[in-house]
């Protein structure tokens, strides 16, 4: 395997030069941190990734979880990994000091996720636990927090999100798992959940499910859903634990991410599953969606990380694999073969991968920065950060996922026939990344969220804030002659995006929601291309300024020049795709909406 699976230099460039993560210390919540503490956390994650994750990438994939006699066994390295994560304080890196965390910014926690998932995304157990524990600390009583969070953050107990049911899927309003109140304030839980990642395994001493259920007599639809803590083993009241009747009734065998069991769980088979209400009744979906931005950044980071690992594998192969001669030397059969990286089409594939992965990472760190500000700031700054984050979230989740799939496909193509074999890791990474457009809301759902809600909410305040930020970058780029054409191009793309929205808006105003959202996924694609173009222009401004003020030499100069070259590639090869998307989005011909005639057939 390639010795490199991510670029530490690029990660530090984005964190410290582009987004200046250490400046978050101006907020009291993050005041304990500076560049040194941030880098220490990144180094801890890199050590775990290098020693406990990356060496076992293939082994974890090929020795997938098994369900035998009601118990799920996973790769033995998983327990060691979870203990190391707990000991290093990385599961709770973003948690408050009061809850045993390090109070690091989400931007840093997201960077840690990026490192770990680039090394081995088949070990994504810790992130699931962190998300579940965060829900408990956000909405749980002190007793619930004390009972569950410490063991979750030290890696002893696993956390999950148990949302999906066989008949419901993404339609959470159709959840039927029931909760019956008991005299002591707890609830009997009965129902089934499916596709529960890390829903049962032997690498943790307990599994703590954050489970959606409907209290008997609750209103129908989303207004009647509550959130419960449902452990695999519940306290017996005497300092021990008893089985909580959460049965593992099946483990799904998946296309990728085979190291993480996706479970079918049945509660109440023996009428003895107990759950503990988290927060207030009937607020479960609101609690879940309040935490959804963090989860969607995590999915986007996982996709960007997988695509990055595939890119570095393809890059090394292209440098080492001799094949044919340069196109202008095809007739010189006595000339030595040249490494395939010297062929223009291979360079195109590699530059596509680099532009997608580094553009995605920049967007995700932008989103994480806004998340931090929306949590730590006050007043108008807090409100504006949340609105901008809310607008960008569908893109931050879907662009790295959808384009990451394409990027890994190009990685595999770079290898040619070898890429389709198990001799190299890209065939596994191609399988692994395919789930990311589905996790935490499919691309179609993200598209409807963007066009149906985020573009129009609060009178379009979100797009106004975004266009103001983009305009600021355009002005900064326009001060450099080399960047001026790209600044102008981004301005043109902003106008094109606005024109598309204006052409679609009459359908929304007329109440024809189906027509308005018919091609929402195409709008999301267009919007994503433009947003990532902004990220590339932002990176290029920083790189250009560094070249002018720091007089970098050698590898440092090559790094900054590479940034400018990749930005140009993205603008010349990817941004023009908005032309075709805009034509389709403004086209009055509708071909995907079912007609009355078709309904009658």
């Amino acid at each position: 395997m390639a010795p490199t699976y991510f670029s530490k230099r690029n990660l530090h460039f984005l964190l410290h030069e582009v987004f200046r993560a250490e400046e978050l210390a101006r907020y009291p919540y993050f005041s304990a941190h500076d560049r040194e503490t941030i880098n220490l956390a990144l180094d801890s994650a890199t050590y775990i990734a290098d020693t406990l994750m990356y060496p076992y990438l293939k082994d974890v994939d090929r020795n997938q979880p098994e369900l035998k006699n009601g118990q799920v066994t996973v790769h033995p390295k998983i327990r060691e990994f979870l203990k190391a994560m707990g000991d290093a304080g990385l599961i709770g890196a973003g948690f408050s000091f009061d809850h045993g965390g390090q109070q690091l910014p989400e931007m840093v926690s997201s960077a840690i996720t990026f490192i770990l998932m680039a090394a081995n995304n088949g070990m994504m157990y810790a992130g699931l636990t962190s998300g579940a524990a965060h829900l408990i600390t956000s909405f749980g009583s002190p007793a619930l927090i004390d009972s569950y969070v410490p063991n979750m953050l030290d890696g002893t107990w696993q956390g999950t999100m148990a949302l999906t049911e066989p008949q419901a899927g993404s339609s959470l309003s159709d959840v039927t798992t029931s909760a019956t109140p008991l005299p002591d304030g707890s609830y009997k839980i009965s129902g089934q959940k499916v596709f529960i990642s890390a829903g049962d395994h032997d690498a943790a001493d307990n599994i703590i499910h954050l489970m959606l259920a409907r209290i008997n007599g609750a209103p129908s639809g989303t207004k009647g859903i509550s959130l419960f803590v449902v452990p695999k083993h519940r306290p017996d009241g005497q300092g021990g634990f008893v089985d909580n009747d959460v049965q593992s009734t099946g483990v799904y065998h998946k296309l990728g991410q085979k190291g993480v069991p996706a479970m079918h769980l049945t509660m109440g088979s023996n009428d003895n599953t107990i759950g503990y209400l988290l927060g207030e009744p009937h607020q479960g979906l609101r609690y879940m969606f309040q935490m959804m931005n963090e989860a969607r950044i995590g999915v986007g980071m996982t996709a960007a990380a997988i695509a990055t690992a595939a890119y570095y594998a393809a890059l090394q192969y292209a440098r080492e694999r001799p094949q044919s001669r340069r196109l202008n030397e095809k007739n010189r059969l006595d000339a030595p073969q040249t490494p395939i990286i010297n062929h223009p089409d291979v360079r195109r594939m590699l530059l596509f991968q680099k532009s997608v992965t580094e553009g995605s990472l920049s967007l995700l760190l932008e989103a994480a920065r806004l998340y931090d500000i929306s949590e730590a700031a006050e007043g108008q700054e807090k409100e504006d950060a949340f609105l901008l984050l809310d607008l960008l979230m569908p893109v931050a989740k879907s662009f790295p996922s959808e384009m990451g799939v394409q990027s890994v496909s190009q990685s595999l193509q770079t290898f040619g026939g070898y890429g389709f074999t198990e001799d190299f890791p890209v065939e596994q990474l191609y399988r692994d990344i395919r789930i990311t457009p589905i996790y935490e809301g499919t691309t179609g759902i993200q598209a409807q969220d963007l066009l149906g809600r985020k573009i129009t909410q609060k009178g379009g305040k979100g797009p106004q804030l975004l266009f103001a930020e983009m305009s600021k970058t355009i002005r900064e780029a326009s001060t450099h002659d080399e960047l001026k054409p790209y600044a102008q191009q981004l301005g043109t793309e902003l106008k094109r995006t606005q024109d598309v929205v204006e052409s679609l808006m009459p359908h929304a105003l007329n109440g024809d929601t189906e027509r308005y959202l018919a091609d929402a996924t195409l709008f999301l694609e267009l919007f994503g291309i433009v947003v990532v173009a902004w990220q590339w222009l932002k990176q290029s401004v920083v790189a250009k300024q560094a070249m002018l003020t720091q007089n970098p030499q050698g590898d440092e100069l090559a790094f900054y020049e590479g940034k400018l070259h990749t930005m140009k590639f993205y603008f010349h090869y990817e941004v023009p795709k908005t032309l075709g998307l805009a034509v389709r989005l403004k086209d009055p011909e509708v071909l995907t909406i079912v007609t009355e005639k078709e309904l009658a057939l």
Side-chain angles (χ1 to χ4, degrees), residues 159-174:
T160 82
M161 301 292 189
L163 316 181
T164 307
E165 296 181 5
Q167 80 292 339
S170 298
S171 180
L172 294 178
S173 62
D174 296 320

Side-chain angles (χ1 to χ4, degrees), residues 72-133:
V72 179
T73 58
V74 296
H75 195 283
K77 278 293 172 181
I78 304 299
R79 180 175 285 273
E80 190 176 343
F81 158 70
L82 289 173
K83 184 179 186 305
M85 288 288 290
D87 290 347
L90 295 182
I91 299 177
F95 284 65
S96 70
F97 295 137
D98 291 341
H99 293 138
Q102 298 188 50
Q103 227 158 279
L104 280 163
E106 176 61 26
M107 200 176 350
V108 181
S109 295
S110 294
I112 289 170
T113 296
F114 175 77
I115 294 169
L116 300 176
M117 293 299 94
N120 190 337
N121 74 99
M123 289 184 168
M124 66 174 194
Y125 294 77
L128 297 167
T129 298
S130 178

Side-chain angles (χ1 to χ4, degrees), residues 203-312:
D205 296 336
N206 204 354
I207 313 292
I208 313 303
H209 304 288
L210 275 292
M211 188 174 294
L212 291 180
R214 195 180 301 278
I215 298 173
N216 293 349
S220 59
T222 57
K223 295 180 179 179
I225 296 176
S226 299
L227 187 61
F228 296 86
V229 176
V230 182
K232 177 180 179 180
H233 304 295
R234 70 173 187 268
D236 64 3
Q238 299 176 357
F241 293 87
V242 295
D243 182 79
N244 198 30
D245 193 23
V246 179
Q247 304 296 326
S248 294
T249 49
V251 58
Y252 293 95
H253 294 286
K254 302 176 295 180
L255 176 70
Q257 290 195 337
K258 294 185 176 184
V260 183
M263 299 306 303
H264 183 161
L265 304 175
T266 302
M267 285 66 64
S269 295
N270 300 311
D271 195 31
N272 196 30
T273 304
I274 304 299
Y276 307 95
L277 182 67
L278 188 65
E280 299 296 321
H282 318 317
Q283 299 298 311
L285 209 57
R286 181 174 71 83
Y287 295 158
M288 289 300 309
F289 278 109
Q290 189 166 325
M291 309 301 296
M292 198 58 76
N293 284 341
E294 189 178 357
R296 286 174 174 166
I297 291 172
V299 173
M301 271 296 178
T302 298
I306 296 170
T308 296
Y311 163 65
Y312 279 104

Side-chain angles (χ1 to χ4, degrees), residues 15 18-35 38 103 105 107 366 368-378 380-382 385 469 472:
L15 280 173
V18 177
F19 296 111
R20 298 187 291 275
E22 51 270 25
E23 292 183 3
L24 289 170
R26 70 182 183 272
Y27 301 106
Y29 187 81
F30 301 125
S31 61
H33 293 292
D34 54 20
R35 181 180 290 215
I38 289 170
Q103 227 158 279
M107 200 176 350
E366 178 87 66
R369 183 185 69 87
L370 291 168
Y371 180 92
D372 289 325
I373 297 172
S374 71
E375 291 287 311
E378 297 179 354
Q380 193 64 48
E381 184 184 21
K382 181 185 188 76
E469 288 294 317
K472 177 184 175 182

Side-chain angles (χ1 to χ4, degrees), residues 473-474 477 486-487 490 533-541 567:
T473 303
I474 288 171
Y486 305 99
L490 183 57
W534 165 49
Q535 289 298 308
W536 268 113
L537 193 62
K538 177 181 285 194
Q539 292 184 62
S540 295
V541 169
M567 177 276 293

